Amino acid sequence: MVDIRVERVLPFPRERVSAFAGDPTNAPAWYANIKSVEWKTPPPVVIGSRMAFVAQFLGRRLAYTYEVTELVPGDKLVMRTAEGPFPMETTYLWADAGLGHTRMVLQNRGEPAGFSKLAAPLMSVAMRSAMAKDLARLEQRLGPR
């Protein structure tokens, strides 16, 4: 089982962080590995929304479809792969961190199979590093404080 959780305090209000990060259309702007997102259901994000993602990770092209399974606007977003090579659940959590700041948690959990299962320890290290960099990139993309 791969279960990676990273967090970062961002110097922006929760509403701003959750609105930007919680819109899958923005994912390529702050996730280094996500190359494109295509809505399979009409936006905005609601429970049951489906989006097709194309990513590049560890030299491999990955195409998968996420489905939103839990949504508490401004607090929590959970998506699970409905299709794809690596069953994965991604959770975003947002909480006030004082002085107009937001604590964002990014968690990815999944059960690798096949080649992915053999590479799970390497994948975990690479995923943790990438996720931490993605949260730093998110802070940059949100612009001036």
Side-chain angles (χ1 to χ4, degrees), residues 2-82:
V2 172
D3 188 352
I4 297 143
R5 177 183 169 113
V6 297
E7 62 181 71
R8 184 177 182 100
V9 173
L10 304 168
F12 305 99
R14 181 166 40 137
E15 298 77 27
R16 184 171 172 191
V17 175
S18 63
F20 187 85
D23 180 350
T25 304
N26 295 326
W30 64 280
Y31 274 103
N33 295 323
I34 295 178
K35 304 308 176 193
S36 67
V37 177
E38 178 187 348
W39 286 84
K40 296 298 187 180
T41 56
V45 173
V46 295
I47 292 177
S49 291
R50 292 170 57 97
M51 295 79 52
F53 287 74
V54 174
Q56 190 77 26
F57 185 67
L58 295 177
R60 300 182 69 171
R61 181 185 181 277
L62 304 172
Y64 51 93
T65 300
Y66 266 128
E67 182 172 336
V68 175
T69 58
E70 192 174 341
L71 177 64
V72 179
D75 290 332
K76 184 176 188 178
L77 170 64
V78 180
M79 302 179 289
R80 288 195 183 113
T81 54

Side-chain angles (χ1 to χ4, degrees), residues 12 20 28 33 38 42 53 61 73 77 80 83 93 96 98 100 103 106 108 116 118-119 124 129-130 137-138 145:
F12 305 99
F20 187 85
N33 295 323
E38 178 187 348
F53 287 74
R61 181 185 181 277
L77 170 64
R80 288 195 183 113
E83 302 168 10
L93 299 171
D96 292 331
R103 178 177 310 285
L106 175 57
N108 281 303
S116 297
L118 297 174
S124 293
S129 174
R137 184 177 282 104
L138 173 61
R145 297 169 183 134

